[in-house]
């Protein structure tokens, strides 16, 4: 009895240990990716989203700012471009599209909605301008675009 | 099952491993001892609580503890399977280790004077060395144990941390080791502080050699040499130290009988298979009989290897969990070293940088030396596999070192945040 169980479990054991290692490597990969995004802002001039909330009050990881160098999806899922583990966000929450020098915000049918300057965005495209306040989940962002 | 096996939550995998393993141990040899289940639940609860505390307090790097918790789990399972009473002792040490981990985390963070205590580190180390020489008990050919109230302690484990702190505080304030010029025949001879550092480092190694702890002596040298390589600008001192090491190695081989035996056994263990080569050949048989997936927990016979629960734990893991289990352990140490190096790169303060790097390479090279030894890649030297081997001194000091690394990682992330704010 014990022999059979032990011989089966040894395979399960190996699988679990390697899944664990895979999970850790994945987390580290996500970590490094966020650092690379961080480094970009220093060199290049792109508009960015700036967090207004005090970060200490939030119990999930969020950066002080997110650079918008290309079209980006904001959401909770790790497949989003900007990943924030806010429980009030949808997996794919909002989309910021870059068209030439226009920055357009679109809500991706999120559960809790996307707000620009306290107005809910519903089935429409909103053209973002400097100083717009974007509210998603528990977070408030400022759209900053410095025009020379 | 699918939800439990979700790789997005690595902590669950650790819990699952413990649940399966302790169920197996409960059934092992039809013992049906319900204490085993209780100990298993205890280990799971402890790991979970510690992880929750780290997350909740946002105490810096969260991967360090996850990786180490996995390693400790594998170690405890193996030791418990080999010898129940030792397993229970190891779980006790694990509890103490976790407490010391949080304690060293808070104490290291609380105070800011660690880089100014260079003489304290040196003094404490040498007092401990002298105590070991005077009161030491000879266990397995090495005089490196002090027995206090029936509990044997290995001071060289705690001296490792002092040694790292000593070198780190030198690189923060090199002028502290400067000796005033010595007048000889009317001339004044200047002795640089780097020479004083080298002399002190070799004194550490000399004491270890006196205690016949060859493994630790090699480990101290590698840590010292690596830190020298990273922080020293001149090539001359590196060259001198390298030559000294080569000379020391050759001298040891030629004149110290003990080292010569070890090297001979390494070159050809089959010559004296019943005597000096017994341990390493048994270890090789164990690794070989495991195959890819191992024989299953409780189905192998690792007890043929002498000292299997401390130095040769890796062979036991290879026999019962297979080469895949063994490589998993190596992988976990890789990840641990990677995280440590990243923390060392991110932190700004030179002292913290050196401490983080020193602790990391200490873990890394210790693993290399012992795993290399048991698979006959390098000559065997008796040191423990950090976090996995049985041993109270080794496990608790490893956790103290980990707590310090955790505290530094917290500082590293704080600096990162400050920089971000400053740039806005």
């Amino acid at each position: 009895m014990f022999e059979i169980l032990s011989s089966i479990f040894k395979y399960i054991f190996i699988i679990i240990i390697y899944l664990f290692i895979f999970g850790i490597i994945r987390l580290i990969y996500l970590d490094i990716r966020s650092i690379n995004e961080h480094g970009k802002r220093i060199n290049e001039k792109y508009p960015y989203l700036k967090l207004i909330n005090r970060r200490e009050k939030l119990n999930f990881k969020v950066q002080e700012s997110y650079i918008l160098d290309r079209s980006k999806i904001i959401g909770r899922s790790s497949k989003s471009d900007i990943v924030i583990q806010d429980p009030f966000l949808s997996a794919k929450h909002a989309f910021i599209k870059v068209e030439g020098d226009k920055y357009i915000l679109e809500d991706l049918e999120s559960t809790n909605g996307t707000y620009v300057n306290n107005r809910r965005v519903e089935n429409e495209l909103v053209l973002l301008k400097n100083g717009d306040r974007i509210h998603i989940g528990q977070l408030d962002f400022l759209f900053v675009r410095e025009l020379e | 099952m699918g939800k439990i096996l979700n790789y997005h939550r690595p902590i669950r995998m650790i819990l699952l491993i413990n649940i399966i393993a302790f169920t197996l141990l409960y059934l092992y040899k039809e013992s049906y001892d319900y204490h085993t289940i209780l100990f298993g639940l205890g280990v799971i609860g402890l790991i979970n609580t510690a992880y929750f505390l780290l997350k909740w307090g946002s105490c810096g790097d969260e991967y360090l503890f996850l990786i180490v918790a996995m390693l400790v789990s594998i170690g405890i399972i193996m030791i418990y399977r080999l010898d129940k009473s030792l397993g229970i002792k190891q779980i006790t040490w694990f509890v103490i280790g976790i407490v010391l981990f949080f304690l060293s985390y808070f104490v290291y963070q609380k105070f800011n004077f660690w880089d100014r205590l260079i003489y304290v580190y040196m003094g404490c180390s040498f007092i401990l060395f002298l105590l070991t020489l005077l009161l030491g008990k000879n266990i397995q050919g090495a005089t490196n144990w002090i027995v206090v109230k029936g509990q044997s302690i290995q001071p060289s484990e705690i001296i490792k941390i002092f040694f790292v702190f000593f070198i780190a505080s030198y690189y923060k304030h090199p002028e502290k080791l400067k000796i005033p010029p010595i007048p000889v025949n009317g001339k004044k001879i200047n002795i640089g502080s780097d020479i004083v550092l080298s002399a002190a480092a070799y004194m550490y190694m000399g004491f270890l050699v006196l205690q016949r702890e060859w493994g630790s002596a090699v480990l101290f040298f590698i840590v010292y040499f690596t830190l020298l390589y990273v922080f020293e600008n001149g090539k001359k001192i590196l060259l001198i130290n390298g030559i000294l090491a080569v000379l020391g190695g050759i001298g040891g081989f030629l004149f110290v009988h003990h080292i010569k035996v070890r090297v001979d056994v390494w070159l050809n263990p089959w010559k004296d298979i019943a005597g000096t080569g017994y341990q390493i050949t048994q270890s090789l048989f164990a690794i070989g009989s495991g195959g890819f997936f191992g024989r299953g927990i409780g189905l192998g016979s690792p007890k043929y290897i002498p000292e299997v629960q401390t130095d040769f734990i890796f062979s036991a893991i290879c026999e019962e969990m297979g080469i895949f289990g063994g490589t998993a352990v190596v992988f976990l140490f890789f990840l641990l070293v990677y995280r440590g190096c990243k923390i060392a790169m991110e932190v700004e303060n030179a002292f913290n940088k050196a401490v983080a790097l020193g602790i990391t390479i200490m873990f890394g090279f210790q693993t290399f030396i012992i795993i290399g030894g048991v698979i006959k890649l390098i000559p065997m030297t008796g040191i423990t596999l950090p976090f996995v081997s049985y041993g109270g001194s080794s496990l608790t000091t490893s956790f103290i070192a980990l707590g310090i690394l955790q505290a530094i990682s917290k500082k590293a992330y704080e600096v990162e945040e400050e920089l971000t704010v400053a740039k806005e």
Side-chain angles (χ1 to χ4, degrees), chain A residues 50-66 83-89 135-141, chain B residues 54-59 410 417:
Chain A
K50 184 173 162 20
L51 187 72
I52 306 174
N53 307 61
R54 284 180 60 81
R55 245 192 327 176
E56 298 84 79
K57 288 190 180 149
L58 304 168
N59 54 356
F60 45 86
K61 262 189 192 161
V62 54
Q63 292 174 23
E64 206 58 55
S65 58
Y66 290 94
V83 185
I84 305 171
Q85 299 290 352
D86 182 345
F88 289 91
L89 284 187
H135 176 80
I136 48 169
Q138 302 173 47
L139 303 167
D140 281 303
F141 285 107
Chain B
L54 278 179
K55 274 282 232 190
W56 174 72
S58 59
C59 307
K410 170 90 172 162
E417 281 168 20

Side-chain angles (χ1 to χ4, degrees), chain A residues 28 31 42-43 51 58 90-91 94 134 138:
Chain A
I28 290 176
D31 200 43
I42 301 162
N43 307 325
L51 187 72
L58 304 168
S90 298
I134 301 167
Q138 302 173 47

Side-chain angles (χ1 to χ4, degrees), chain A:
Chain A
M1 178 60 190
F2 176 76
E3 278 86 38
I4 301 167
L5 267 183
S6 184
S7 322
I8 298 167
F9 277 151
K10 71 183 182 192
Y11 296 106
I12 301 177
F13 241 85
I14 300 290
I15 292 169
I16 299 173
I17 294 181
Y18 277 91
L19 268 178
F20 173 81
I21 292 176
F22 178 70
I24 293 276
I25 291 177
R26 177 184 155 274
L27 286 175
I28 290 176
Y29 164 73
L30 292 178
D31 200 43
I32 294 173
R33 206 174 63 162
S34 76
I35 292 169
N36 287 345
E37 300 254 318
H38 232 73
K40 240 178 196 169
R41 204 186 67 247
I42 301 162
N43 307 325
E44 300 167 41
K45 275 270 177 200
Y46 282 111
Y48 57 92
L49 292 177
K50 184 173 162 20
L51 187 72
I52 306 174
N53 307 61
R54 284 180 60 81
R55 245 192 327 176
E56 298 84 79
K57 288 190 180 149
L58 304 168
N59 54 356
F60 45 86
K61 262 189 192 161
V62 54
Q63 292 174 23
E64 206 58 55
S65 58
Y66 290 94
I67 179 170
L68 297 170
D69 53 340
R70 60 188 162 82
S71 302
K72 278 185 178 179
I73 294 175
I74 307 172
R76 219 179 56 240
S77 137
S78 61
K79 290 189 183 79
S80 308
D81 302 295
I82 296 174
V83 185
I84 305 171
Q85 299 290 352
D86 182 345
F88 289 91
L89 284 187
S90 298
K92 284 187 177 170
H93 196 104
F95 181 49
I96 295 178
K97 198 173 166 189
V98 186
E99 270 182 12
D101 61 345
K102 289 195 183 82
Y103 287 77
I104 298 154
L105 177 77
E106 187 186 351
D107 183 61
L108 298 175
E109 293 172 357
S110 61
T111 320
N112 292 318
T114 307
Y115 297 80
V116 175
N117 298 330
N118 296 327
R119 200 174 59 78
R120 185 160 183 166
V121 181
E122 273 168 308
N123 303 325
E124 58 181 319
L125 302 173
V126 180
L127 187 66
L128 292 173
K129 49 190 192 303
N130 188 25
D132 273 349
R133 203 184 168 104
I134 301 167
H135 176 80
I136 48 169
Q138 302 173 47
L139 303 167
D140 281 303
F141 285 107
L142 207 62
F143 178 76
V144 184
R145 188 176 186 191
E146 287 151 2
L147 291 168
E148 282 99 304

Side-chain angles (χ1 to χ4, degrees), chain B residues 27 82 101 107 109 151 417 419:
Chain B
L27 300 170
L82 289 166
F101 168 72
V107 171
Q109 229 180 9
Q151 188 61 59
E417 281 168 20
L419 285 178

